Tab-separated table of all heavy atoms in Angstrom:
chain	number	residue	atom	x	y	z
A	12	SER	N	-6.150	2.328	0.166
A	12	SER	CA	-6.408	3.545	0.919
A	12	SER	C	-7.576	4.300	0.293
A	12	SER	O	-7.898	4.103	-0.879
A	12	SER	CB	-5.166	4.432	0.915
A	12	SER	OG	-4.993	5.006	-0.378
A	13	PRO	N	-8.181	5.196	1.060
A	13	PRO	CA	-9.264	6.010	0.492
A	13	PRO	C	-8.802	6.836	-0.716
A	13	PRO	O	-9.571	7.038	-1.651
A	13	PRO	CB	-9.693	6.912	1.651
A	13	PRO	CG	-9.286	6.166	2.887
A	13	PRO	CD	-8.032	5.416	2.502
A	14	VAL	N	-7.552	7.286	-0.702
A	14	VAL	CA	-7.028	8.069	-1.828
A	14	VAL	C	-6.937	7.190	-3.072
A	14	VAL	O	-7.398	7.566	-4.158
A	14	VAL	CB	-5.652	8.691	-1.485
A	14	VAL	CG1	-5.001	9.304	-2.707
A	14	VAL	CG2	-5.799	9.709	-0.369
A	15	ARG	N	-6.352	5.995	-2.918
A	15	ARG	CA	-6.235	5.087	-4.058
A	15	ARG	C	-7.625	4.683	-4.546
A	15	ARG	O	-7.862	4.590	-5.740
A	15	ARG	CB	-5.416	3.852	-3.695
A	15	ARG	CG	-5.061	3.043	-4.935
A	15	ARG	CD	-4.308	1.775	-4.657
A	15	ARG	NE	-3.114	1.944	-3.886
A	15	ARG	CZ	-2.026	1.200	-4.043
A	15	ARG	NH1	-1.993	0.246	-4.947
A	15	ARG	NH2	-0.985	1.380	-3.276
A	16	THR	N	-8.546	4.460	-3.640
A	16	THR	CA	-9.909	4.093	-4.020
A	16	THR	C	-10.559	5.220	-4.817
A	16	THR	O	-11.204	4.976	-5.842
A	16	THR	CB	-10.749	3.756	-2.772
A	16	THR	OG1	-10.144	2.625	-2.125
A	16	THR	CG2	-12.185	3.437	-3.126
A	17	GLY	N	-10.387	6.450	-4.369
A	17	GLY	CA	-10.941	7.603	-5.098
A	17	GLY	C	-10.359	7.720	-6.499
A	17	GLY	O	-11.087	7.952	-7.468
A	18	PHE	N	-9.042	7.543	-6.608
A	18	PHE	CA	-8.406	7.612	-7.917
A	18	PHE	C	-8.811	6.423	-8.795
A	18	PHE	O	-8.877	6.544	-10.015
A	18	PHE	CB	-6.887	7.713	-7.795
A	18	PHE	CG	-6.415	9.119	-7.581
A	18	PHE	CD1	-6.037	9.557	-6.323
A	18	PHE	CD2	-6.359	10.022	-8.631
A	18	PHE	CE1	-5.610	10.852	-6.117
A	18	PHE	CE2	-5.936	11.325	-8.438
A	18	PHE	CZ	-5.552	11.745	-7.174
A	19	ARG	N	-9.102	5.286	-8.177
A	19	ARG	CA	-9.583	4.121	-8.932
A	19	ARG	C	-10.957	4.427	-9.519
A	19	ARG	O	-11.223	4.177	-10.689
A	19	ARG	CB	-9.635	2.889	-8.035
A	19	ARG	CG	-10.139	1.651	-8.763
A	19	ARG	CD	-9.973	0.386	-7.941
A	19	ARG	NE	-10.289	0.508	-6.534
A	19	ARG	CZ	-11.522	0.367	-6.032
A	19	ARG	NH1	-12.536	0.097	-6.811
A	19	ARG	NH2	-11.728	0.489	-4.738
A	20	TRP	N	-11.851	4.981	-8.702
A	20	TRP	CA	-13.179	5.365	-9.185
A	20	TRP	C	-13.077	6.392	-10.316
A	20	TRP	O	-13.788	6.302	-11.309
A	20	TRP	CB	-14.023	5.927	-8.036
A	20	TRP	CG	-14.695	4.869	-7.236
A	20	TRP	CD1	-14.181	4.197	-6.163
A	20	TRP	CD2	-15.999	4.346	-7.444
A	20	TRP	NE1	-15.097	3.290	-5.686
A	20	TRP	CE2	-16.226	3.354	-6.451
A	20	TRP	CE3	-17.004	4.612	-8.359
A	20	TRP	CZ2	-17.419	2.644	-6.367
A	20	TRP	CZ3	-18.193	3.905	-8.274
A	20	TRP	CH2	-18.373	2.929	-7.283
A	21	LEU	N	-12.192	7.367	-10.148
A	21	LEU	CA	-12.024	8.402	-11.168
A	21	LEU	C	-11.531	7.795	-12.480
A	21	LEU	O	-12.070	8.091	-13.552
A	21	LEU	CB	-11.061	9.488	-10.674
A	21	LEU	CG	-10.754	10.605	-11.666
A	21	LEU	CD1	-12.026	11.361	-12.064
A	21	LEU	CD2	-9.716	11.564	-11.060
A	22	LEU	N	-10.521	6.944	-12.414
A	22	LEU	CA	-9.994	6.335	-13.632
A	22	LEU	C	-11.048	5.439	-14.279
A	22	LEU	O	-11.211	5.441	-15.504
A	22	LEU	CB	-8.720	5.540	-13.348
A	22	LEU	CG	-8.003	5.016	-14.595
A	22	LEU	CD1	-7.497	6.173	-15.456
A	22	LEU	CD2	-6.851	4.102	-14.203
A	23	ALA	N	-11.789	4.689	-13.470
A	23	ALA	CA	-12.845	3.836	-14.012
A	23	ALA	C	-13.904	4.680	-14.717
A	23	ALA	O	-14.365	4.325	-15.816
A	23	ALA	CB	-13.467	2.998	-12.899
A	24	LEU	N	-14.279	5.792	-14.133
A	24	LEU	CA	-15.271	6.686	-14.743
A	24	LEU	C	-14.751	7.239	-16.074
A	24	LEU	O	-15.476	7.248	-17.079
A	24	LEU	CB	-15.618	7.823	-13.784
A	24	LEU	CG	-16.607	8.856	-14.294
A	24	LEU	CD1	-17.976	8.230	-14.506
A	24	LEU	CD2	-16.713	10.009	-13.296
Side-chain angles (χ1 to χ4, degrees):
S12 72
V14 171
R15 191 183 306 213
T16 298
F18 276 102
R19 180 170 41 86
W20 276 87
L21 178 60
L22 187 64
L24 178 66

